[in-house]
Amino acid sequence: DLVLKPTIKLTAKIEEAPAVKKTIFQHDRKSPSAADFMDLAREVLRRLGLESAHIEEDVEPKGVEADGELQAQ
C-alpha cells in the first residue's frame, strides 16, 4: 500500500501558522490539524517498523524556545 491513510484537515489555524512563522504545533497544538499531523507521523513510524517509538507531544521542537520563537541556528 503506497498511499498513507491519515488526511490533514485544512483549518483556519493551519492556514494562520505560516503567517505568524510558527508550526501548527507552536500555533495551536490542540487543533484538529495538529492531531492529524501526529496521526500521520504515527502511520509513518508504523510503516517503518518503529511503531514502538514514542512521540512526545508536549515537547517543543528542536530550535524553538519555550515562548514559541525560533532560535537562531
Side-chain angles (χ1 to χ4, degrees):
D1 190 44
L2 298 176
V3 178
L4 296 170
K5 292 182 183 5
T7 58
I8 309 298
K9 292 176 194 71
L10 183 60
T11 62
K13 293 294 183 181
I14 200 168
E15 290 181 341
E16 293 169 1
V20 294
K21 294 184 170 62
K22 294 186 177 185
T23 68
I24 188 60
F25 301 105
Q26 295 164 322
H27 188 56
D28 185 1
R29 71 178 62 219
K30 303 288 186 197
S31 75
S33 298
D36 291 343
F37 273 107
M38 292 303 293
D39 290 343
L40 177 62
R42 287 185 188 95
E43 175 70 10
V44 169
L45 289 173
R46 185 188 66 76
R47 288 189 183 201
L48 293 173
L50 302 171
E51 59 269 358
S52 62
H54 179 71
I55 299 175
E56 296 187 31
E57 297 182 32
D58 291 331
V59 175
E60 291 295 334
K62 185 177 179 182
V64 177
E65 296 177 5
D67 63 2
E69 293 297 316
L70 294 177
Q71 297 172 354
Q73 298 290 320

